[in-house]
Amino acid sequence: MLQQFIGILEKSREHDLIPFLKSLTGEEKKKLVPEIKKLFKEYTDFKETTDLLGNRSWTAKGNEKQKTILLITSFVCYNRQDFERTTFPGWILDEKHFRKVMDWYIPSWFNDFVNKLAQSDFLPYTLNYRWALELAEKGFLNLSNEIIVRLLPQIIFENEGRITVYKPEKTLENPATLQEHIWYLFELESAIHYSSRYLNFGSPGEKKTGWIELFKQYSAAGKIERSRLLRESLLASNKNFNNQLSGWFIELFTELEPDSTELLNLQKELFSVLSSPQSKPVNTVLQYFKKLVSHQSFDGNSFLENVSVLLSSDKKNTLVSTISILDKLAKKKKDWQLPVCKAVLPAFIHANDEIQLRAAKLIAAYQDICGEEFKEMLQPYHSSLMMSSKNLLQDLLSAETYPYQETDIKLPDAETATVADRLPGIPLPESIDDFIFLASQAFDNNQSWHIDILPAALVKWQHELQGENIARLEPALQRALQMTRSEFRAGQGTLDHMLAIFFIDVCILFVRKFPAYSNKLNLLFSKFDQKDGANQSSWLAIAEGEVYMAGWDSHSKDSFYLPHKNLLLCVLQKLIHGDNQPLLSTPTHEPGYILPEILAQRILRYQQSGKPPFNIDAQIAVSRCLQLDTATAIKITEEQLEGEYKNLLLFLFGRHELPQPPFENPAVWMCCSLAKKEKKRYDAFAGFSYYKNPFACYTGGFPWYSKDEEYEKSEYDYQLRKSITKKARRKILRVITDRTPVKESAGFKKILSGILSKPKESPFCIYDSFIVKAQWISLENDVRRILMLTPANPEPFLAEITRRFLPDPTFSGESEKRAVTACLQAIYEIWDDFGDMAYLFLGTCMISSDKTIRNISGEIWLKAVSEHKMNNEKLGAVIGKHESIEFAPLKRLTDLMSQSMFRISAVHNKNLLELTETMLAHLSDLPVNNLKKLLELYLELLSINNTISNNQKLQNKFNAWHKNAGLQKIIKTIIEKK
């Protein structure tokens, strides 16, 4: 039986396959399954091959006919679980394959298998709507609504060569299509809005095509009920579909051109759309209400009930339309005037002069009927009223609260609180039970410092990890082994894979050290051994004294993983030699700091033991050390330490202004100097090879520019049927991360050689690894842990993040967006008196295309201002230079400022004024889009801060911008403000 099948497979005899399969009994199929699996792997796995010229390629052994034979055979012989594990099981639905078996074999699980595919991201292109209907008519398939929705959108498009032909008549072939199936498109999320995307319909002059045109045509012809179509379109636009799909349904409604009678009959549905999370449906309905509001049958009370939701929107169009409708409503009926004035009050929560002024004018028109009750309702909005609105409503404002007064935020007393009081501690396991619990979750990245605490805990508890305790490592080992086989789960990154490899090495070490207690670990290792035909690789086959960690590398081959890798290799050395001296670099407080007195005490232990710490451990330790509350640490250092590390710590803690020799550990001294706020070069380090590199490599102070430039892009021309090159323009940010070693002049070399010995090549320094070389990387789950290696100097890696992920106003992918978000979240926790690169990163994020990133950037600014750690001149210069070429829409920034940074406190208002003035001074002499909004905000800040504009650079800008008619009024008001 097996040899017969192998003969069919080897000779690709498809015509003999079906008779062979029909002849098999159920028992024979089961016996054949293990052999089919081996053959399936042998014929379908891609393997590296080399031709006679040495060219390498990856190919599979099987041809297309052999793959088809294996596919059909596995469908007939496998159970469902085994079949779903094969490569692309959905290929069986290809009509030419399935027709060979459907008349004589349909497994009981077939229907559920197909319908389950509709819930996955991948649905085989071979299963189309027509074919699915035929399978259903034959009783092989019960079509779920979900699978209909997945398949139906493509029915009206048919490919004829390279041209797509629009065929709406396909929907008429089966009565169920228009009578029943199309309505599922309004109930379930589908890709109907993308159905014609990327299709080539020939010349641009072709007639309109697509589902909207079909609905218009068939509803006009009576083939689809128009009233139901209008109602379902409205309801579908507010069903929590994605933004594009919701917009498509409201576009369909608009294209159907409902008249006033139809709209009035649909008021209930129209009002329901006002609660949509998407702005397009809401704004479309509001445009209809503008036309309907004057009609006698318009439900004004229902509109008033929805006003509070509408006025909470951050979309200007929504706010303007709502106030406009309220204005018309008040003019229409006297009884509605006071309710309208009350309803419009939430408009004053928006720091937008135009919106507030519209609302204020509406109220002012009816202020005679606004009594004491209304004045009380207005009172909570006094602090948010802008100057123009205050002036218009001053008769309704109580004297006690006008003009607007602010009080400063009361900040915690940073002088009396110690670092330990202000920062949460990071606990080290206090028992072997705590360690076992930590080990079972350490690979999930639940806490960024788990990658530091697990190795530290292993060093601490290694002498307890023997006897019966060895078996308790089994759950953690299983998780580590699973990580080497499967894709990463949410939250896990490359560093977690590295930590898993490290833990596997640790367990192999314990298995060999305590064989009598390692049965469970041995069995677990054997379950994860790899088998490939006759070849077998075993985790435990590694040679004595070798570790997998030494050969570990990331897929991207990027060097920024080296510090963690080298530190873990040092921990393995400690475990091999039974060294229980604590790691210097283990953080003591969130998010990744070490208290100075703890560092001094750890170094003291090494000094007392007579053993030096590992160099990489010391580099990371001094880079993480907080240089606050250092009195105790200085006392310990001066009284109990000696030698190089005494001088090094006294330099780090500020007792020594300059570094004092000996300099036997140049990499540690280099990290020590970079952990200090000054980030200076020192003459004493002139012999270090690090100084041959540009100093910006260690401070992140690389030059940069944003530019509007012309470039060439490739584009496919469907008429010419080939790719062509076109010129286009783009806005781009370039960070010049030049790492070319500095060349001294011959004269300087000669003088230097007489003073110093020739610089020696210094050991690996962690800062030399902070380079992103790979083109495609995913860093979102690793970036925080890399930044926490050097929390006092994150800018060298920030330069790489900025260069790699923020060159464009928009993100090229979601992974880039997530990486920047994670980076911002880390920077929020460690923000300090950083340099220019940190401000370039923050300023670029403040005008990002992603709202979450903009909001986090705003939170960093708020916190930094509260802690007096914000340089508004640096930040304003970055944003101003960007916006001088309109690198990104200025509206992103003005919205962030007005919604999240304005009127927080007197201190914040003063800082926001400084930021705004600096930005304005760096803008182009030609007005940029949305400049008027920024100037309006500036005027409000001048008023709140009770100051005038006297910046000479700004005066020159005002003179240039005053030529623009749209800006003359606001500029005149600013200049005349005294």
Side-chain angles (χ1 to χ4, degrees):
M1 176 181 64
L2 175 60
Q3 292 305 317
Q4 184 180 355
F5 175 72
I6 291 175
I8 293 172
L9 179 63
E10 287 180 345
K11 297 182 179 180
S12 304
R13 301 201 314 263
E14 285 186 275
H15 58 280
D16 291 334
L17 177 65
I18 301 304
F20 168 75
L21 293 176
K22 284 183 178 180
S23 69
L24 296 177
T25 64
E27 191 62 31
E28 287 173 331
K29 290 178 184 178
K30 287 183 180 179
K31 290 182 179 179
L32 197 57
V33 165
E35 303 303 326
I36 298 174
K37 289 182 178 180
K38 293 178 183 177
L39 291 166
F40 208 112
K41 183 176 181 62
E42 178 185 345
Y43 277 78
T44 62
D45 276 5
F46 282 86
K47 295 184 179 180
E48 186 178 14
T49 58
T50 305
D51 61 20
L52 295 175
L53 297 176
N55 298 315
R56 294 188 299 175
S57 61
W58 289 83
T59 56
K61 177 180 178 180
N63 57 38
E64 290 304 313
K65 287 186 177 181
Q66 289 170 329
K67 291 176 183 177
T68 299
I69 289 172
L70 288 166
L71 173 70
I72 295 175
T73 305
S74 61
F75 177 70
V76 173
C77 297
Y78 285 8
N79 58 34
R80 177 179 177 177
Q81 187 177 25
D82 285 338
F83 182 68
E84 287 184 335
R85 288 175 177 170
T86 60
T87 306
F88 300 122
W91 284 354
I92 193 63
L93 298 176
D94 191 323
E95 192 171 348
K96 65 178 181 291
H97 297 330
F98 196 70
R99 285 196 183 278
K100 296 174 181 178
V101 298
M102 70 180 195
D103 292 335
W104 57 274
Y105 179 76
I106 299 291
S108 59
W109 44 264
F110 177 74
N111 175 68
D112 189 53
F113 162 72
V114 177
N115 279 288
K116 186 181 176 183
L117 287 175
Q119 300 170 12
S120 64
D121 292 333
F122 173 74
L123 189 63
Y125 68 90
T126 51
L127 180 64
N128 56 51
Y129 179 75
R130 177 199 57 77
W131 176 225
L133 287 181
E134 181 179 339
L135 292 175
E137 289 171 0
K138 292 181 179 295
F140 302 148
L141 184 62
N142 295 323
L143 286 177
S144 66
N145 297 352
E146 288 79 8
I147 203 166
I148 290 173
V149 165
R150 291 288 298 272
L151 299 175
L152 182 56
Q154 291 302 322
I155 188 180
I156 62 173
F157 304 112
E158 195 169 285
N159 292 329
E160 295 183 359
R162 294 194 176 196
I163 302 297
T164 300
V165 181
Y166 170 57
K167 293 191 174 183
E169 64 273 13
K170 290 287 184 180
T171 59
L172 304 176
E173 293 178 352
N174 191 307
T177 303
L178 293 185
Q179 293 174 10
E180 179 184 358
H181 293 174
I182 62 162
W183 301 112
Y184 299 152
L185 295 169
F186 297 82
E187 296 293 333
L188 300 169
E189 190 157 342
S190 70
I192 190 171
H193 58 303
Y194 276 158
S195 58
S196 60
R197 195 175 185 183
Y198 306 123
L199 300 181
N200 177 23
F201 291 98
S203 63
E206 289 291 319
K207 64 180 181 179
K208 289 185 178 180
T209 60
W211 277 96
I212 289 181
E213 190 62 26
L214 181 147
F215 281 123
K216 288 172 63 178
Q217 177 186 343
Y218 282 4
S219 63
K223 295 176 181 177
I224 297 176
E225 184 184 344
R226 176 176 169 85
S227 60
R228 183 179 181 185
L229 184 60
L230 287 168
R231 184 175 63 256
E232 295 296 341
S233 299
L234 278 176
L235 295 175
S237 70
N238 188 27
K239 283 191 174 170
N240 289 322
F241 294 153
N242 65 68
N243 186 30
Q244 291 85 358
L245 184 56
S246 296
W248 186 90
F249 278 114
I250 201 66
E251 182 184 351
L252 169 60
F253 182 82
T254 303
E255 288 287 332
L256 291 170
E257 300 179 353
D259 58 30
S260 296
T261 302
E262 289 174 319
L263 289 170
L264 289 168
N265 290 334
L266 289 168
Q267 282 191 83
K268 180 180 177 182
E269 289 78 11
L270 287 166
F271 281 118
S272 73
V273 175
L274 295 181
S275 61
S276 171
Q278 315 296 349
S279 60
K280 183 176 180 178
V282 173
N283 288 327
T284 301
V285 168
L286 288 175
Q287 294 305 311
Y288 285 122
F289 282 164
K290 281 185 180 181
K291 300 175 183 178
L292 294 179
V293 65
S294 58
H295 199 283
Q296 191 66 30
S297 300
F298 180 71
D299 188 353
N301 289 321
S302 292
F303 183 77
L304 288 175
E305 291 173 0
N306 284 276
V307 166
S308 60
V309 174
L310 293 169
L311 292 182
S312 66
S313 171
D314 59 355
K315 304 298 182 183
K316 184 179 177 181
N317 289 347
T318 302
L319 300 171
V320 170
S321 296
T322 302
I323 297 172
S324 175
I325 295 169
L326 286 172
D327 190 24
K328 292 181 179 181
L329 203 59
K331 292 175 180 176
K332 175 182 174 182
K333 191 174 180 181
K334 188 174 182 179
D335 292 347
W336 277 337
Q337 291 173 356
L338 184 57
V340 162
C341 290
K342 293 178 178 178
V344 81
L345 286 174
F348 295 123
I349 66 174
H350 300 282
N352 184 299
D353 190 58
E354 180 185 349
I355 298 301
Q356 287 201 11
L357 196 56
R358 285 174 180 269
K361 285 180 178 179
L362 193 160
I363 294 172
Y366 307 104
Q367 64 180 349
D368 292 343
I369 63 172
C370 296
E372 293 302 319
E373 179 190 1
F374 180 83
K375 291 180 181 179
E376 290 180 9
M377 294 179 66
L378 179 60
Q379 185 176 351
Y381 299 98
H382 285 188
S383 62
S384 61
L385 285 173
M386 302 187 81
M387 185 172 63
S388 56
S389 299
K390 289 177 187 175
N391 294 335
L392 203 57
L393 300 176
Q394 55 184 314
D395 292 341
L396 297 174
L397 299 173
S398 58
E400 294 78 15
T401 55
Y402 180 80
Y404 174 74
Q405 298 290 331
E406 290 186 276
T407 57
D408 200 356
I409 289 179
K410 182 164 181 62
L411 301 174
D413 190 349
E415 298 299 325
T416 58
T418 65
V419 174
D421 293 332
R422 297 197 300 271
L423 298 174
I426 296 177
L428 199 63
E430 293 299 325
S431 67
I432 193 67
D433 292 330
D434 291 342
F435 167 76
I436 296 299
F437 177 76
L438 169 67
S440 66
Q441 59 169 318
F443 316 111
D444 294 334
N445 194 18
N446 294 326
Q447 294 287 352
S448 61
W449 37 261
H450 276 169
I451 196 170
D452 298 294
I453 298 300
L454 179 64
L458 275 165
V459 172
K460 178 180 179 179
W461 295 104
Q462 59 180 302
H463 297 306
E464 295 287 334
L465 287 169
Q466 51 186 306
E468 299 296 335
N469 282 331
I470 296 298
R472 299 179 67 186
L473 297 175
E474 181 187 16
L477 176 59
Q478 182 170 0
R479 301 193 76 169
L481 289 166
Q482 285 173 337
M483 276 209 71
T484 66
R485 276 195 175 182
S486 59
E487 294 292 330
F488 299 164
R489 294 184 297 180
Q492 291 178 323
T494 300
L495 285 172
D496 298 295
H497 184 271
M498 177 198 293
L499 189 64
I501 297 296
F502 161 78
F503 193 75
I504 290 170
D505 279 328
V506 170
C507 289
I508 292 173
L509 174 64
F510 287 141
V511 164
R512 290 175 173 172
K513 199 171 183 179
F514 308 105
Y517 300 96
S518 301
N519 289 337
K520 286 188 176 182
L521 299 190
N522 275 313
L523 182 60
L524 187 58
F525 272 121
S526 66
K527 288 181 179 179
F528 283 84
D529 287 345
Q530 300 285 338
K531 294 181 180 180
D532 184 9
N535 299 321
Q536 179 172 334
S537 57
S538 171
W539 281 104
L540 294 173
I542 190 169
E544 191 79 28
E546 294 184 3
V547 291
Y548 289 105
M549 197 65 228
W552 181 92
D553 202 350
S554 65
H555 291 298
S556 61
K557 308 295 182 183
D558 269 299
S559 59
F560 47 77
Y561 291 113
L562 284 177
H564 282 101
K565 175 183 176 179
N566 291 345
L567 182 62
L568 292 177
L569 285 170
C570 292
V571 174
L572 286 171
Q573 288 300 310
K574 279 179 169 289
L575 298 177
I576 290 170
H577 297 101
D579 178 3
N580 65 351
Q581 290 292 340
L583 291 170
L584 296 180
S585 59
T586 307
T588 61
H589 286 76
E590 294 270 19
Y593 294 115
I594 302 173
L595 292 188
E597 61 267 29
I598 300 297
L599 177 58
Q601 290 166 359
R602 289 174 179 172
I603 290 179
L604 178 60
R605 286 190 58 175
Y606 275 90
Q607 183 175 288
Q608 292 169 342
S609 71
K611 296 179 180 179
F614 284 103
N615 192 276
I616 186 69
D617 189 23
Q619 288 185 54
I620 298 172
V622 298
S623 300
R624 285 175 168 171
C625 184
L626 264 175
Q627 296 170 56
L628 298 172
D629 302 338
T630 58
T632 303
I634 290 174
K635 184 177 181 181
I636 295 172
T637 304
E638 289 185 326
E639 295 179 357
Q640 301 185 58
L641 288 179
E642 57 186 30
E644 181 182 18
Y645 273 96
K646 177 179 181 177
N647 290 343
L648 189 144
L649 290 188
L650 290 177
F651 173 60
L652 177 65
F653 300 150
R655 176 66 85 182
H656 289 171
E657 183 178 348
L658 298 174
Q660 298 182 12
F663 304 127
E664 296 174 3
N665 293 282
V668 183
W669 279 101
M670 188 71 179
C671 290
C672 185
S673 70
L674 295 169
K676 297 170 72 68
K677 285 189 176 181
E678 296 82 6
K679 309 291 186 292
K680 290 166 52 179
R681 294 174 67 108
Y682 294 91
D683 292 341
F685 297 164
F688 294 180
S689 63
Y690 314 117
Y691 277 15
K692 293 191 295 185
N693 300 321
F695 199 52
C697 297
Y698 303 101
T699 64
F702 295 104
W704 65 273
Y705 63 86
S706 49
K707 184 180 181 182
D708 183 344
E709 66 179 19
E710 185 177 80
Y711 75 107
E712 292 184 345
K713 69 174 183 178
S714 179
E715 189 176 280
Y716 188 80
D717 189 307
Y718 284 98
Q719 299 298 317
L720 301 176
R721 297 186 179 182
K722 66 177 184 179
S723 293
I724 60 174
T725 300
K726 283 187 174 182
K727 289 186 177 181
R729 299 203 69 83
R730 65 185 174 190
K731 312 289 176 66
I732 193 162
L733 165 63
R734 297 197 187 279
V735 180
I736 316 301
T737 52
D738 182 11
R739 300 176 185 275
T740 307
V742 178
K743 293 182 179 180
E744 299 95 346
S745 66
F748 180 78
K749 285 183 178 180
K750 188 174 181 180
I751 295 170
L752 193 64
S753 64
I755 303 172
L756 301 170
S757 59
K758 186 178 179 180
K760 296 179 180 179
E761 199 64 36
S762 302
F764 168 83
C765 177
I766 56 175
Y767 285 97
D768 291 329
S769 68
F770 293 153
I771 305 171
V772 177
K773 291 183 177 179
Q775 186 175 3
W776 302 110
I777 57 172
S778 179
L779 260 180
E780 61 262 30
N781 296 318
D782 294 322
V783 66
R784 176 187 177 87
R785 291 178 283 192
I786 296 168
L787 287 170
M788 290 307 164
L789 289 169
T790 59
N793 185 28
E795 293 183 82
F797 198 59
L798 276 185
E800 293 293 297
I801 296 294
T802 305
R803 178 187 65 82
R804 175 64 179 80
F805 297 132
L806 295 172
D808 303 310
T810 56
F811 292 96
S812 58
E814 286 299 313
S815 62
E816 285 86 350
K817 191 183 299 182
R818 290 193 295 267
V820 171
T821 302
C823 188
L824 274 173
Q825 290 168 338
I827 293 299
Y828 174 85
E829 296 185 60
I830 62 175
W831 183 270
D832 207 335
D833 187 16
F834 291 141
D836 293 344
M837 188 52 61
Y839 284 98
L840 174 62
F841 176 73
L842 179 63
T844 308
C845 287
M846 291 182 92
I847 54 176
S848 163
S849 60
D850 184 73
K851 188 174 182 180
T852 299
I853 288 175
R854 296 198 301 272
N855 287 340
I856 299 174
S857 303
E859 290 296 323
I860 291 175
W861 184 86
L862 292 173
K863 180 186 178 189
V865 168
S866 297
E867 297 175 349
H868 309 293
K869 294 179 179 178
M870 177 53 59
N871 188 321
N872 291 297
E873 289 189 3
K874 287 185 177 181
L875 182 61
V878 167
I879 301 174
K881 289 175 183 177
H882 279 330
E883 291 308 317
S884 66
I885 64 160
E886 296 189 74
F887 180 74
L890 186 59
K891 185 179 185 300
R892 295 175 184 170
L893 180 69
T894 54
D895 284 350
L896 175 66
M897 293 168 68
S898 61
Q899 294 168 15
S900 303
M901 300 163 64
F902 186 46
R903 296 183 186 272
I904 304 300
S905 75
V907 170
H908 288 87
N909 283 336
K910 181 181 178 181
N911 277 262
L912 191 57
L913 176 61
E914 294 173 358
L915 176 64
T916 306
E917 284 191 334
T918 307
M919 282 191 297
L920 289 169
H922 281 84
L923 291 178
S924 168
D925 288 346
L926 294 175
V928 298
N929 289 324
N930 214 44
L931 177 58
K932 183 180 179 182
K933 171 61 182 174
L934 185 59
L935 290 171
E936 289 172 349
L937 188 60
Y938 177 55
L939 179 60
E940 287 296 321
L941 288 166
L942 289 172
S943 177
I944 289 174
N945 287 284
N946 194 26
T947 188
I948 61 174
S949 177
N950 56 11
N951 185 310
Q952 187 55 51
K953 288 185 178 179
L954 270 186
Q955 297 303 318
N956 295 336
K957 295 293 181 185
F958 292 155
N959 292 335
W961 297 335
H962 195 265
K963 299 173 184 177
N964 184 286
L967 299 177
Q968 289 176 359
K969 183 177 179 181
I970 183 67
I971 290 175
K972 182 180 179 182
T973 306
I974 292 172
I975 293 174
E976 293 179 351
K977 188 180 186 308
K978 300 297 182 184

